[in-house]
Amino acid sequence: MSTPADHGAQPERTRLAWRRTVLSGTACALLLFRLAFERGLDDVGALGLALGLLCWLALLLVAQRRIRAMARPEPVGLARAVAAVTLCCVLMGLLGVLLILW
């Protein structure tokens, strides 16, 4: 029976990287919320607020699932997680542009 290889601090660094990703997403979401409230919460502001909240929740969910998956010996599904995080980040950026320019 083979023993799993010791990867040192790599899993902990990866967990911390996912947490930093959520922290930066939280900062972006808070900036979106500020922009939405400065607009006076008209229709575009309310839409930006709702979509920003959904993006932030999706980012949080994906990161938590990846952190939990790392506890398994062979974590899978990294490509979908990275694609979901990329989509959330791009959507948050587009929402910011929408709130600023509209």
Coordinates of all heavy atoms in Angstrom, one line a residue:
M1 N 0.9 -1.2 0.0 CA 0.0 0.0 0.0 C 0.9 1.2 0.0 O 1.8 1.4 0.8 CB -0.9 0.0 1.2 CG -1.8 1.1 1.3 SD -2.8 0.6 2.7 CE -4.1 1.7 2.7
S2 N 0.7 2.1 -1.0 CA 1.5 3.3 -1.0 C 0.9 4.4 -0.2 O -0.3 4.6 0.0 CB 1.6 3.8 -2.5 OG 0.4 4.2 -2.9
T3 N 1.8 5.2 0.4 CA 1.4 6.4 1.2 C 1.3 7.6 0.3 O 2.1 7.8 -0.6 CB 2.4 6.6 2.4 OG1 3.6 6.8 1.8 CG2 2.4 5.4 3.3
P4 N 0.4 8.5 0.6 CA 0.3 9.7 -0.2 C 1.5 10.6 0.0 O 2.1 10.6 1.0 CB -1.0 10.4 0.3 CG -1.3 9.8 1.6 CD -0.6 8.4 1.6
A5 N 1.9 11.3 -1.1 CA 3.1 12.1 -1.0 C 2.8 13.3 -0.1 O 1.7 13.8 -0.1 CB 3.5 12.6 -2.4
D6 N 3.8 13.8 0.6 CA 3.7 15.0 1.4 C 3.9 16.2 0.5 O 5.0 16.4 0.0 CB 4.7 14.9 2.5 CG 4.6 16.1 3.5 OD1 3.5 16.7 3.5 OD2 5.6 16.4 4.1
H7 N 2.9 17.1 0.4 CA 3.1 18.3 -0.4 C 3.4 19.5 0.4 O 3.3 20.6 -0.1 CB 1.8 18.5 -1.2 CG 1.5 17.4 -2.1 ND1 2.2 17.2 -3.3 CD2 0.5 16.4 -2.1 CE1 1.7 16.1 -3.9 NE2 0.7 15.7 -3.3
G8 N 3.7 19.3 1.6 CA 4.2 20.4 2.5 C 3.0 21.4 2.7 O 1.9 21.1 3.0
A9 N 3.3 22.7 2.5 CA 2.4 23.8 2.7 C 1.5 24.1 1.5 O 0.7 25.1 1.6 CB 3.1 25.0 3.2
Q10 N 1.7 23.4 0.4 CA 0.9 23.7 -0.8 C -0.6 23.7 -0.6 O -1.2 24.7 -1.0 CB 1.3 22.8 -1.9 CG 0.7 23.2 -3.2 CD 0.0 22.0 -3.9 OE1 0.2 20.9 -3.5 NE2 -0.7 22.3 -5.0
P11 N -1.2 22.8 0.1 CA -2.7 22.8 0.3 C -3.1 24.0 1.1 O -4.1 24.7 0.8 CB -3.0 21.5 1.0 CG -1.9 20.6 0.6 CD -0.7 21.5 0.5
E12 N -2.3 24.4 2.1 CA -2.7 25.6 2.9 C -2.5 26.8 2.1 O -3.4 27.7 2.2 CB -1.8 25.6 4.1 CG -2.1 26.7 5.1 CD -3.5 26.7 5.7 OE1 -4.1 25.6 5.8 OE2 -4.1 27.7 6.0
R13 N -1.5 26.9 1.3 CA -1.3 28.1 0.4 C -2.5 28.2 -0.6 O -3.0 29.3 -0.8 CB 0.0 28.1 -0.3 CG 1.2 28.4 0.5 CD 2.4 28.6 -0.3 NE 2.6 27.6 -1.3 CZ 3.4 26.5 -1.2 NH1 4.0 26.3 -0.1 NH2 3.6 25.7 -2.2
T14 N -3.0 27.1 -1.1 CA -4.1 27.1 -2.0 C -5.4 27.5 -1.3 O -6.1 28.3 -1.9 CB -4.2 25.7 -2.7 OG1 -3.0 25.4 -3.3 CG2 -5.3 25.7 -3.7
R15 N -5.6 27.0 -0.1 CA -6.8 27.5 0.7 C -6.7 29.0 0.9 O -7.8 29.7 0.8 CB -6.8 26.7 2.0 CG -7.5 25.4 1.9 CD -7.7 24.8 3.3 NE -7.5 23.4 3.4 CZ -6.3 22.7 3.4 NH1 -5.2 23.4 3.3 NH2 -6.3 21.4 3.5
L16 N -5.6 29.5 1.3 CA -5.4 30.9 1.5 C -5.7 31.7 0.2 O -6.3 32.8 0.3 CB -4.1 31.2 2.1 CG -3.9 30.7 3.6 CD1 -2.4 30.9 4.0 CD2 -4.8 31.5 4.5
A17 N -5.2 31.2 -0.9 CA -5.4 31.9 -2.2 C -6.9 31.9 -2.5 O -7.4 33.0 -3.0 CB -4.7 31.1 -3.3
W18 N -7.7 30.9 -2.2 CA -9.1 30.9 -2.4 C -9.8 31.9 -1.5 O -10.7 32.6 -1.9 CB -9.8 29.5 -2.3 CG -9.6 28.7 -3.5 CD1 -8.8 27.6 -3.6 CD2 -10.3 28.8 -4.7 NE1 -8.9 27.1 -4.9 CE2 -9.8 27.8 -5.6 CE3 -11.3 29.7 -5.2 CZ2 -10.3 27.7 -6.9 CZ3 -11.7 29.5 -6.5 CH2 -11.3 28.5 -7.3
R19 N -9.3 32.0 -0.3 CA -9.9 33.0 0.7 C -9.6 34.4 0.2 O -10.4 35.3 0.4 CB -9.4 32.7 2.1 CG -10.0 31.4 2.6 CD -9.6 31.2 4.1 NE -10.3 30.0 4.6 CZ -9.7 28.9 5.0 NH1 -8.4 28.9 4.9 NH2 -10.4 27.9 5.4
R20 N -8.3 34.6 -0.3 CA -8.0 36.0 -0.8 C -8.9 36.3 -2.0 O -9.3 37.5 -2.2 CB -6.5 36.0 -1.2 CG -5.6 36.2 0.0 CD -4.2 36.5 -0.5 NE -3.7 35.6 -1.5 CZ -3.0 34.4 -1.2 NH1 -2.7 34.1 0.1 NH2 -2.5 33.7 -2.2
T21 N -9.2 35.3 -2.8 CA -10.0 35.6 -4.0 C -11.4 36.0 -3.5 O -12.0 37.0 -4.0 CB -10.2 34.3 -4.8 OG1 -8.9 33.9 -5.2 CG2 -11.1 34.5 -6.0
V22 N -12.0 35.4 -2.5 CA -13.3 35.8 -1.9 C -13.2 37.1 -1.3 O -14.1 38.0 -1.5 CB -13.8 34.7 -0.9 CG1 -15.0 35.2 -0.2 CG2 -14.1 33.4 -1.7
L23 N -12.1 37.4 -0.6 CA -11.9 38.7 0.0 C -11.9 39.8 -1.1 O -12.5 40.9 -0.9 CB -10.7 38.8 0.8 CG -10.4 40.1 1.6 CD1 -11.5 40.3 2.6 CD2 -9.0 40.0 2.3
S24 N -11.2 39.6 -2.2 CA -11.1 40.6 -3.2 C -12.5 40.8 -3.9 O -12.9 41.9 -4.3 CB -10.0 40.4 -4.2 OG -10.3 39.1 -4.9
G25 N -13.2 39.6 -4.0 CA -14.6 39.7 -4.6 C -15.5 40.4 -3.7 O -16.4 41.2 -4.2
T26 N -15.3 40.3 -2.4 CA -16.1 41.0 -1.4 C -15.9 42.5 -1.5 O -16.8 43.3 -1.5 CB -15.8 40.6 0.0 OG1 -16.1 39.2 0.1 CG2 -16.7 41.3 1.0
A27 N -14.6 42.9 -1.7 CA -14.3 44.3 -1.9 C -15.0 44.9 -3.2 O -15.5 46.0 -3.1 CB -12.8 44.5 -1.9
C28 N -14.9 44.1 -4.2 CA -15.5 44.6 -5.5 C -17.0 44.7 -5.3 O -17.7 45.6 -5.8 CB -15.2 43.6 -6.6 SG -13.5 43.7 -7.1
A29 N -17.6 43.7 -4.6 CA -19.1 43.7 -4.4 C -19.5 44.9 -3.6 O -20.5 45.6 -3.9 CB -19.6 42.4 -3.8
L30 N -18.7 45.2 -2.6 CA -19.0 46.4 -1.8 C -18.9 47.7 -2.6 O -19.7 48.6 -2.4 CB -18.1 46.5 -0.5 CG -18.4 45.4 0.5 CD1 -17.3 45.5 1.6 CD2 -19.7 45.6 1.1
L31 N -17.9 47.8 -3.5 CA -17.8 48.9 -4.4 C -19.0 49.0 -5.3 O -19.6 50.1 -5.6 CB -16.5 48.9 -5.1 CG -15.3 49.2 -4.3 CD1 -14.0 48.9 -5.2 CD2 -15.3 50.6 -3.8
L32 N -19.5 47.9 -5.8 CA -20.7 47.9 -6.6 C -21.9 48.3 -5.8 O -22.7 49.1 -6.3 CB -21.0 46.4 -7.2 CG -20.2 46.0 -8.4 CD1 -20.4 44.5 -8.7 CD2 -20.4 46.9 -9.6
F33 N -22.0 47.9 -4.6 CA -23.2 48.3 -3.8 C -23.1 49.8 -3.5 O -24.2 50.5 -3.5 CB -23.2 47.5 -2.4 CG -23.3 46.0 -2.6 CD1 -22.9 45.2 -1.5 CD2 -23.8 45.4 -3.7 CE1 -23.0 43.8 -1.6 CE2 -23.9 44.1 -3.8 CZ -23.5 43.3 -2.8
R34 N -21.9 50.3 -3.3 CA -21.8 51.7 -3.1 C -22.2 52.5 -4.3 O -23.0 53.5 -4.2 CB -20.3 52.1 -2.7 CG -20.1 53.5 -2.5 CD -18.7 53.8 -2.1 NE -18.4 55.2 -2.1 CZ -17.3 55.8 -2.4 NH1 -16.3 55.0 -2.8 NH2 -17.2 57.1 -2.4
L35 N -21.8 52.1 -5.5 CA -22.2 52.7 -6.7 C -23.7 52.6 -6.9 O -24.3 53.6 -7.3 CB -21.5 52.0 -7.9 CG -20.1 52.4 -8.2 CD1 -19.5 51.5 -9.3 CD2 -20.0 53.9 -8.6
A36 N -24.3 51.5 -6.6 CA -25.8 51.3 -6.7 C -26.5 52.3 -5.8 O -27.5 52.9 -6.2 CB -26.2 49.9 -6.5
F37 N -26.0 52.4 -4.6 CA -26.7 53.3 -3.6 C -26.5 54.8 -4.0 O -27.4 55.6 -3.7 CB -26.3 53.0 -2.2 CG -27.0 51.8 -1.7 CD1 -26.3 50.6 -1.4 CD2 -28.4 51.7 -1.5 CE1 -26.9 49.5 -0.9 CE2 -29.0 50.6 -1.0 CZ -28.2 49.5 -0.7
E38 N -25.4 55.1 -4.5 CA -25.1 56.5 -4.9 C -26.0 56.9 -6.1 O -26.3 58.1 -6.2 CB -23.7 56.7 -5.3 CG -22.7 56.8 -4.2 CD -21.3 57.0 -4.6 OE1 -21.0 56.9 -5.8 OE2 -20.4 57.2 -3.7
R39 N -26.4 56.0 -6.9 CA -27.3 56.2 -8.0 C -28.8 56.5 -7.5 O -29.6 57.0 -8.2 CB -27.4 55.0 -9.0 CG -26.2 54.8 -9.7 CD -26.4 53.6 -10.7 NE -27.5 53.8 -11.6 CZ -27.4 54.4 -12.7 NH1 -26.3 54.8 -13.1 NH2 -28.5 54.6 -13.5
G40 N -29.0 56.2 -6.3 CA -30.4 56.4 -5.7 C -31.3 55.1 -5.9 O -32.5 55.2 -5.8
L41 N -30.7 54.0 -6.2 CA -31.3 52.8 -6.4 C -32.5 52.9 -7.5 O -33.6 52.4 -7.2 CB -31.8 52.2 -5.1 CG -30.8 51.3 -4.4 CD1 -31.4 50.7 -3.1 CD2 -30.4 50.1 -5.3
D42 N -32.2 53.4 -8.6 CA -33.2 53.4 -9.7 C -33.2 52.0 -10.3 O -32.6 51.1 -9.7 CB -32.8 54.4 -10.8 CG -31.4 54.3 -11.3 OD1 -30.7 53.4 -10.8 OD2 -31.1 55.0 -12.3
D43 N -33.8 51.8 -11.4 CA -33.9 50.4 -12.0 C -32.5 49.8 -12.3 O -32.3 48.6 -12.0 CB -34.7 50.4 -13.3 CG -36.2 50.7 -13.0 OD1 -36.6 50.5 -11.8 OD2 -36.9 51.2 -13.9
V44 N -31.7 50.6 -12.9 CA -30.3 50.1 -13.2 C -29.5 49.8 -12.0 O -28.8 48.8 -11.8 CB -29.6 51.1 -14.1 CG1 -28.2 50.7 -14.4 CG2 -30.3 51.3 -15.4
G45 N -29.6 50.7 -11.0 CA -28.9 50.5 -9.7 C -29.4 49.2 -9.0 O -28.6 48.5 -8.4
A46 N -30.7 49.0 -9.0 CA -31.3 47.8 -8.3 C -30.9 46.6 -9.0 O -30.5 45.6 -8.4 CB -32.8 47.9 -8.3
L47 N -30.8 46.6 -10.4 CA -30.4 45.5 -11.1 C -28.9 45.2 -10.9 O -28.5 44.1 -10.6 CB -30.6 45.7 -12.6 CG -30.1 44.6 -13.6 CD1 -30.9 43.4 -13.4 CD2 -30.1 45.1 -15.0
G48 N -28.1 46.3 -10.8 CA -26.7 46.1 -10.5 C -26.5 45.5 -9.1 O -25.6 44.7 -8.9
L49 N -27.3 46.0 -8.2 CA -27.2 45.5 -6.8 C -27.5 44.0 -6.7 O -26.8 43.2 -6.1 CB -28.1 46.3 -5.9 CG -28.1 46.0 -4.4 CD1 -26.7 46.4 -3.8 CD2 -29.2 46.8 -3.7
A50 N -28.6 43.6 -7.4 CA -29.0 42.2 -7.3 C -28.0 41.3 -8.0 O -27.6 40.3 -7.5 CB -30.4 42.1 -8.0
L51 N -27.5 41.7 -9.2 CA -26.6 40.9 -9.9 C -25.2 40.8 -9.2 O -24.6 39.8 -9.2 CB -26.4 41.4 -11.3 CG -27.6 41.1 -12.3 CD1 -27.4 41.8 -13.6 CD2 -27.9 39.7 -12.4
G52 N -24.8 42.0 -8.6 CA -23.6 42.0 -7.8 C -23.7 41.0 -6.6 O -22.7 40.3 -6.3
L53 N -24.8 41.0 -6.0 CA -25.0 40.1 -4.8 C -24.9 38.7 -5.3 O -24.3 37.8 -4.6 CB -26.3 40.4 -4.1 CG -26.6 39.6 -2.9 CD1 -25.5 39.8 -1.8 CD2 -28.0 39.9 -2.3
L54 N -25.6 38.4 -6.4 CA -25.6 37.0 -6.9 C -24.2 36.6 -7.3 O -23.8 35.4 -7.1 CB -26.5 36.9 -8.1 CG -28.0 36.8 -7.8 CD1 -28.8 36.8 -9.1 CD2 -28.3 35.6 -6.9
C55 N -23.4 37.5 -8.0 CA -22.0 37.1 -8.3 C -21.2 36.9 -7.1 O -20.4 35.9 -7.1 CB -21.4 38.3 -9.1 SG -22.0 38.4 -10.8
W56 N -21.4 37.7 -6.1 CA -20.6 37.5 -4.9 C -20.9 36.2 -4.2 O -20.0 35.5 -3.7 CB -20.8 38.7 -3.9 CG -20.0 38.5 -2.6 CD1 -18.7 38.7 -2.4 CD2 -20.6 38.1 -1.4 NE1 -18.4 38.4 -1.1 CE2 -19.5 38.0 -0.5 CE3 -21.9 37.7 -1.0 CZ2 -19.7 37.7 0.8 CZ3 -22.1 37.3 0.3 CH2 -21.0 37.3 1.2
L57 N -22.2 35.9 -4.1 CA -22.6 34.6 -3.5 C -22.1 33.4 -4.3 O -21.7 32.4 -3.7 CB -24.1 34.5 -3.4 CG -24.7 35.4 -2.3 CD1 -26.3 35.4 -2.4 CD2 -24.3 35.0 -0.9
A58 N -22.1 33.5 -5.6 CA -21.6 32.4 -6.4 C -20.1 32.3 -6.2 O -19.6 31.1 -6.1 CB -21.9 32.7 -7.9
L59 N -19.4 33.4 -6.1 CA -17.9 33.3 -5.9 C -17.7 32.7 -4.5 O -16.8 31.8 -4.4 CB -17.4 34.7 -5.9 CG -15.9 34.9 -5.7 CD1 -15.1 34.3 -6.9 CD2 -15.5 36.4 -5.6
L60 N -18.4 33.0 -3.5 CA -18.3 32.5 -2.2 C -18.5 31.0 -2.2 O -17.8 30.2 -1.6 CB -19.2 33.2 -1.2 CG -19.2 32.7 0.3 CD1 -17.8 33.1 0.9 CD2 -20.3 33.4 1.0
L61 N -19.6 30.6 -2.9 CA -20.0 29.1 -2.9 C -18.9 28.3 -3.6 O -18.5 27.3 -3.2 CB -21.3 29.0 -3.7 CG -21.8 27.6 -3.9 CD1 -22.2 27.0 -2.5 CD2 -22.9 27.5 -4.9
V62 N -18.4 28.8 -4.8 CA -17.4 28.1 -5.5 C -16.1 28.0 -4.7 O -15.5 26.9 -4.6 CB -17.1 28.8 -6.9 CG1 -15.8 28.3 -7.5 CG2 -18.2 28.7 -7.8
A63 N -15.7 29.0 -4.0 CA -14.5 29.0 -3.2 C -14.6 28.0 -2.0 O -13.7 27.2 -1.8 CB -14.1 30.4 -2.7
Q64 N -15.8 28.0 -1.4 CA -16.0 27.1 -0.3 C -16.0 25.6 -0.7 O -15.5 24.8 0.0 CB -17.3 27.4 0.5 CG -17.2 28.7 1.3 CD -16.2 28.6 2.4 OE1 -15.1 28.1 2.3 NE2 -16.5 29.2 3.5
R65 N -16.6 25.4 -1.9 CA -16.6 24.0 -2.4 C -15.2 23.6 -2.8 O -14.8 22.4 -2.5 CB -17.5 23.9 -3.6 CG -19.0 24.1 -3.3 CD -19.8 24.0 -4.5 NE -20.4 22.7 -4.6 CZ -20.9 22.2 -5.6 NH1 -21.0 22.9 -6.7 NH2 -21.4 21.0 -5.6
R66 N -14.4 24.5 -3.3 CA -13.0 24.1 -3.7 C -12.2 23.8 -2.4 O -11.4 22.9 -2.4 CB -12.3 25.2 -4.5 CG -12.8 25.3 -5.9 CD -12.6 24.0 -6.7 NE -11.2 23.5 -6.6 CZ -10.9 22.2 -6.8 NH1 -11.8 21.3 -7.2 NH2 -9.6 21.8 -6.8
I67 N -12.4 24.7 -1.4 CA -11.7 24.5 -0.1 C -12.0 23.1 0.5 O -11.2 22.4 0.9 CB -11.9 25.6 0.8 CG1 -11.2 26.9 0.3 CG2 -11.4 25.3 2.3 CD1 -11.6 28.1 1.1
R68 N -13.3 22.8 0.5 CA -13.7 21.5 1.0 C -13.2 20.3 0.2 O -12.9 19.3 0.7 CB -15.3 21.4 1.1 CG -15.8 22.0 2.4 CD -17.2 21.7 2.6 NE -17.9 22.9 2.8 CZ -18.8 23.4 1.9 NH1 -19.2 22.7 0.9 NH2 -19.4 24.5 2.1
A69 N -13.2 20.5 -1.2 CA -12.7 19.5 -2.1 C -11.3 19.2 -1.9 O -10.8 18.0 -2.2 CB -13.0 19.8 -3.5
M70 N -10.5 20.1 -1.4 CA -9.1 19.9 -1.2 C -8.8 18.9 -0.1 O -7.7 18.4 0.0 CB -8.4 21.2 -0.9 CG -8.3 22.1 -2.2 SD -7.5 23.7 -1.8 CE -5.9 23.1 -1.2
A71 N -9.8 18.7 0.8 CA -9.6 17.7 1.8 C -9.5 16.3 1.3 O -9.0 15.4 2.0 CB -10.7 17.8 2.9
R72 N -10.1 16.1 0.1 CA -10.0 14.7 -0.5 C -8.6 14.5 -1.1 O -7.9 15.4 -1.5 CB -11.1 14.6 -1.6 CG -12.5 14.6 -1.1 CD -13.4 14.4 -2.2 NE -14.0 15.7 -2.4 CZ -14.5 16.1 -3.6 NH1 -14.6 15.3 -4.6 NH2 -15.0 17.3 -3.7
P73 N -8.3 13.2 -1.2 CA -6.9 12.9 -1.7 C -6.7 13.3 -3.2 O -5.7 13.7 -3.5 CB -6.9 11.3 -1.6 CG -8.0 10.9 -0.8 CD -9.0 12.0 -0.7
E74 N -7.8 13.2 -4.0 CA -7.7 13.6 -5.4 C -8.8 14.6 -5.7 O -9.8 14.2 -6.2 CB -7.8 12.3 -6.3 CG -6.7 11.4 -6.1 CD -5.4 12.0 -6.6 OE1 -5.4 12.7 -7.6 OE2 -4.3 11.7 -6.0
P75 N -8.6 15.9 -5.4 CA -9.7 16.8 -5.8 C -9.9 16.9 -7.3 O -9.0 16.8 -8.0 CB -9.2 18.1 -5.2 CG -7.8 18.0 -4.9 CD -7.5 16.5 -4.8
V76 N -11.2 17.1 -7.7 CA -11.5 17.2 -9.1 C -12.3 18.4 -9.3 O -12.8 19.1 -8.4 CB -12.3 15.9 -9.6 CG1 -11.4 14.7 -9.5 CG2 -13.6 15.8 -8.8
G77 N -12.5 18.8 -10.6 CA -13.4 19.9 -11.0 C -12.8 21.2 -10.9 O -13.5 22.2 -10.7
L78 N -11.5 21.4 -11.0 CA -10.9 22.7 -10.9 C -11.2 23.5 -12.1 O -11.4 24.7 -11.9 CB -9.3 22.5 -10.8 CG -8.5 23.8 -10.7 CD1 -9.0 24.6 -9.4 CD2 -7.1 23.5 -10.7
A79 N -11.3 23.0 -13.3 CA -11.6 23.8 -14.5 C -12.9 24.5 -14.4 O -13.0 25.7 -14.7 CB -11.5 22.9 -15.7
R80 N -13.9 23.8 -13.9 CA -15.3 24.4 -13.7 C -15.2 25.5 -12.7 O -15.8 26.6 -12.8 CB -16.3 23.4 -13.3 CG -16.7 22.5 -14.5 CD -17.8 21.6 -14.1 NE -17.4 20.9 -12.9 CZ -18.1 19.9 -12.3 NH1 -19.2 19.5 -12.9 NH2 -17.6 19.3 -11.3
A81 N -14.5 25.3 -11.6 CA -14.4 26.4 -10.5 C -13.7 27.6 -11.1 O -14.1 28.7 -10.8 CB -13.6 25.8 -9.3
V82 N -12.6 27.4 -11.8 CA -11.9 28.6 -12.4 C -12.8 29.3 -13.4 O -12.8 30.5 -13.4 CB -10.5 28.1 -13.0 CG1 -9.9 29.2 -13.8 CG2 -9.6 27.6 -11.9
A83 N -13.5 28.6 -14.2 CA -14.4 29.2 -15.2 C -15.5 30.0 -14.5 O -15.8 31.1 -14.9 CB -15.0 28.1 -16.1
A84 N -16.0 29.4 -13.4 CA -17.1 30.1 -12.6 C -16.5 31.4 -12.0 O -17.2 32.5 -12.0 CB -17.7 29.2 -11.6
V85 N -15.4 31.3 -11.4 CA -14.7 32.5 -10.8 C -14.5 33.6 -11.8 O -14.7 34.8 -11.6 CB -13.5 32.1 -10.0 CG1 -12.7 33.3 -9.6 CG2 -13.8 31.3 -8.8
T86 N -13.9 33.2 -13.0 CA -13.7 34.1 -14.1 C -15.0 34.8 -14.5 O -15.0 36.0 -14.7 CB -13.0 33.4 -15.3 OG1 -11.8 32.7 -14.8 CG2 -12.7 34.3 -16.4
L87 N -16.0 34.0 -14.7 CA -17.3 34.6 -15.1 C -17.8 35.6 -14.1 O -18.3 36.7 -14.4 CB -18.3 33.5 -15.3 CG -19.7 33.9 -15.8 CD1 -19.6 34.5 -17.2 CD2 -20.7 32.8 -15.7
C88 N -17.7 35.3 -12.8 CA -18.1 36.2 -11.7 C -17.3 37.5 -11.8 O -17.9 38.6 -11.6 CB -18.0 35.5 -10.4 SG -19.2 34.2 -10.1
C89 N -16.0 37.4 -11.9 CA -15.2 38.6 -12.0 C -15.5 39.5 -13.2 O -15.6 40.7 -13.0 CB -13.7 38.2 -12.0 SG -13.2 37.4 -10.4
V90 N -15.7 38.8 -14.3 CA -16.0 39.6 -15.5 C -17.3 40.3 -15.4 O -17.5 41.5 -15.7 CB -15.9 38.7 -16.8 CG1 -16.5 39.4 -18.0 CG2 -14.5 38.3 -17.0
L91 N -18.3 39.6 -14.9 CA -19.6 40.1 -14.7 C -19.6 41.3 -13.7 O -20.3 42.3 -13.9 CB -20.6 39.0 -14.2 CG -22.1 39.4 -14.2 CD1 -22.5 40.0 -15.6 CD2 -23.0 38.2 -13.8
M92 N -18.9 41.1 -12.6 CA -18.8 42.2 -11.6 C -18.1 43.5 -12.3 O -18.6 44.6 -12.0 CB -17.9 41.8 -10.4 CG -18.7 41.1 -9.4 SD -17.7 40.9 -7.9 CE -18.8 39.9 -6.9
G93 N -17.1 43.3 -13.1 CA -16.5 44.4 -13.8 C -17.5 45.1 -14.7 O -17.6 46.3 -14.8
L94 N -18.2 44.3 -15.5 CA -19.2 44.8 -16.4 C -20.3 45.6 -15.7 O -20.8 46.6 -16.1 CB -19.8 43.7 -17.3 CG -18.9 43.2 -18.3 CD1 -19.5 42.0 -19.1 CD2 -18.4 44.2 -19.3
L95 N -20.7 45.0 -14.5 CA -21.7 45.7 -13.7 C -21.2 47.1 -13.2 O -22.0 48.0 -13.2 CB -22.1 44.8 -12.5 CG -23.0 43.7 -12.8 CD1 -23.2 42.8 -11.6 CD2 -24.4 44.1 -13.3
G96 N -20.0 47.1 -12.8 CA -19.4 48.4 -12.4 C -19.4 49.4 -13.5 O -19.7 50.6 -13.3
V97 N -19.0 49.0 -14.7 CA -19.1 49.9 -15.9 C -20.5 50.3 -16.1 O -20.7 51.5 -16.4 CB -18.4 49.2 -17.1 CG1 -18.7 50.0 -18.4 CG2 -17.0 49.0 -16.9
L98 N -21.4 49.4 -16.1 CA -22.8 49.7 -16.3 C -23.3 50.8 -15.3 O -24.0 51.8 -15.6 CB -23.7 48.5 -16.2 CG -25.2 48.7 -16.2 CD1 -25.7 48.9 -17.6 CD2 -25.9 47.5 -15.6
L99 N -23.0 50.6 -14.0 CA -23.4 51.5 -13.0 C -22.7 52.9 -13.1 O -23.3 53.9 -12.8 CB -23.1 51.0 -11.6 CG -24.0 49.8 -11.2 CD1 -23.6 49.2 -9.9 CD2 -25.5 50.3 -11.1
I100 N -21.5 52.9 -13.6 CA -20.8 54.2 -13.8 C -21.3 55.0 -15.0 O -21.6 56.2 -14.9 CB -19.3 54.0 -13.9 CG1 -18.8 53.5 -12.5 CG2 -18.6 55.3 -14.3 CD1 -17.3 53.1 -12.6
L101 N -21.5 54.3 -16.1 CA -21.8 54.9 -17.4 C -23.3 55.1 -17.6 O -23.7 56.0 -18.4 CB -21.2 54.2 -18.5 CG -19.6 54.1 -18.5 CD1 -19.1 53.4 -19.7 CD2 -19.0 55.5 -18.5
W102 N -24.1 54.3 -17.1 CA -25.5 54.4 -17.4 C -26.3 55.5 -16.7 O -26.3 55.8 -15.6 CB -26.2 53.0 -17.2 CG -27.4 52.9 -18.0 CD1 -28.6 53.5 -17.8 CD2 -27.7 52.0 -19.1 NE1 -29.6 53.1 -18.7 CE2 -29.0 52.2 -19.5 CE3 -26.8 51.2 -19.8 CZ2 -29.5 51.5 -20.6 CZ3 -27.4 50.5 -20.8 CH2 -28.7 50.7 -21.2

